[in-house]
Amino acid sequence: MKQLRPAVLAGIFVVAGILSWAGARLWNAYGTLPGVPLAAPIVLGVIAAVLLATALSMRARLKAQRERRPGAKGVEPLMAARAVVFGQASALVAALVAGMYGGVGVFLLTDALDVPARRDQAWYAGFSVLAGVAVIAAALFLEHVLKLPEDEDPTKAPAKA
């Protein structure tokens, strides 16, 4: 399984942001722009908390296993793989969603903040972006915790000292 690269996540964020900003401008020109739900930052925050809790739990279990503490519960490989896949999927979706709400938020900030409803929508979009960044950070931390040590290449000749 390949590691997520922050540059890929940033690219997804930027492309989604630009497309959603353009879509918000177009949608607003032809009608009423749909609102940013209040639940968006809450759901992203819950996902970030679950990822962080999983990472901290796995890190503690792996540390106890390395130190050979009596009664230490190890981490099953399949459980670790599922956690990494969940983290990677969450990070990719969070980059897309945060970019989308970021683009809408930029549109709202530049269009009409004098309307109280639009101001509230801009706040929700901003909190959604922050929560999306928290999901990405927690997912990358989880991936770091569960990263396997690098294997040496057996075909590679040993270095001479």
Side-chain angles (χ1 to χ4, degrees), residues 108-116 118-120 122:
L108 290 171
L109 287 173
T110 59
D111 187 47
L113 275 182
D114 54 334
V115 178
R118 290 258 172 133
R119 192 175 317 119
D120 290 343

Coordinates of all heavy atoms in Angstrom, one line a residue, residues 108-116 118-120 122:
L108 N -18.4 33.3 -1.1 CA -19.3 34.1 -0.2 C -18.6 35.3 0.4 O -19.2 36.3 0.7 CB -19.8 33.1 0.9 CG -20.8 32.0 0.5 CD1 -21.0 31.0 1.7 CD2 -22.1 32.7 0.1
L109 N -17.3 35.1 0.7 CA -16.5 36.2 1.2 C -16.4 37.4 0.3 O -16.3 38.5 0.7 CB -15.1 35.8 1.7 CG -15.1 34.9 3.0 CD1 -13.7 34.4 3.2 CD2 -15.6 35.7 4.2
T110 N -16.3 37.1 -1.0 CA -16.1 38.1 -2.0 C -17.4 38.7 -2.6 O -17.4 39.7 -3.2 CB -15.2 37.6 -3.2 OG1 -15.9 36.4 -3.8 CG2 -13.8 37.2 -2.7
D111 N -18.5 38.0 -2.4 CA -19.7 38.4 -3.0 C -20.6 39.3 -2.2 O -20.7 40.5 -2.5 CB -20.6 37.2 -3.4 CG -21.8 37.5 -4.2 OD1 -21.6 38.3 -5.2 OD2 -22.9 37.0 -3.9
A112 N -21.2 38.8 -1.1 CA -22.1 39.7 -0.3 C -22.1 39.2 1.1 O -22.9 38.4 1.5 CB -23.5 39.6 -0.9
L113 N -21.2 39.8 1.9 CA -21.2 39.5 3.3 C -22.1 40.4 4.1 O -22.3 40.2 5.3 CB -19.8 39.7 3.9 CG -18.9 38.5 3.7 CD1 -17.5 38.7 4.4 CD2 -19.5 37.2 4.3
D114 N -22.8 41.4 3.5 CA -23.7 42.2 4.2 C -25.0 41.5 4.5 O -25.8 41.9 5.4 CB -24.0 43.5 3.4 CG -24.5 43.2 2.0 OD1 -24.1 42.2 1.4 OD2 -25.2 44.1 1.4
V115 N -25.3 40.4 3.9 CA -26.5 39.6 4.2 C -26.1 38.6 5.3 O -25.2 37.8 5.2 CB -26.9 38.8 2.9 CG1 -28.1 37.9 3.2 CG2 -27.2 39.7 1.7
P116 N -26.9 38.7 6.4 CA -26.5 37.8 7.6 C -26.5 36.3 7.3 O -25.6 35.6 7.8 CB -27.6 38.1 8.6 CG -28.1 39.5 8.2 CD -28.0 39.6 6.7
R118 N -25.7 34.9 4.5 CA -24.5 34.6 3.7 C -23.2 34.6 4.6 O -22.3 33.8 4.5 CB -24.3 35.6 2.6 CG -25.3 35.5 1.5 CD -24.6 34.8 0.3 NE -25.6 34.4 -0.7 CZ -25.4 34.7 -2.0 NH1 -24.3 35.2 -2.4 NH2 -26.3 34.3 -2.8
R119 N -23.2 35.5 5.6 CA -22.2 35.6 6.6 C -22.1 34.3 7.4 O -21.0 33.7 7.6 CB -22.3 36.8 7.5 CG -21.1 37.1 8.3 CD -21.3 38.4 9.2 NE -21.9 39.5 8.4 CZ -23.0 40.1 8.8 NH1 -23.7 39.7 9.8 NH2 -23.5 41.0 8.1
D120 N -23.2 33.8 7.8 CA -23.3 32.5 8.5 C -22.8 31.4 7.7 O -22.0 30.5 8.1 CB -24.7 32.2 9.0 CG -25.1 33.1 10.1 OD1 -24.3 33.8 10.7 OD2 -26.4 33.2 10.4
A122 N -20.7 31.6 5.2 CA -19.2 31.7 5.1 C -18.5 31.2 6.4 O -17.5 30.5 6.2 CB -18.8 33.2 4.9

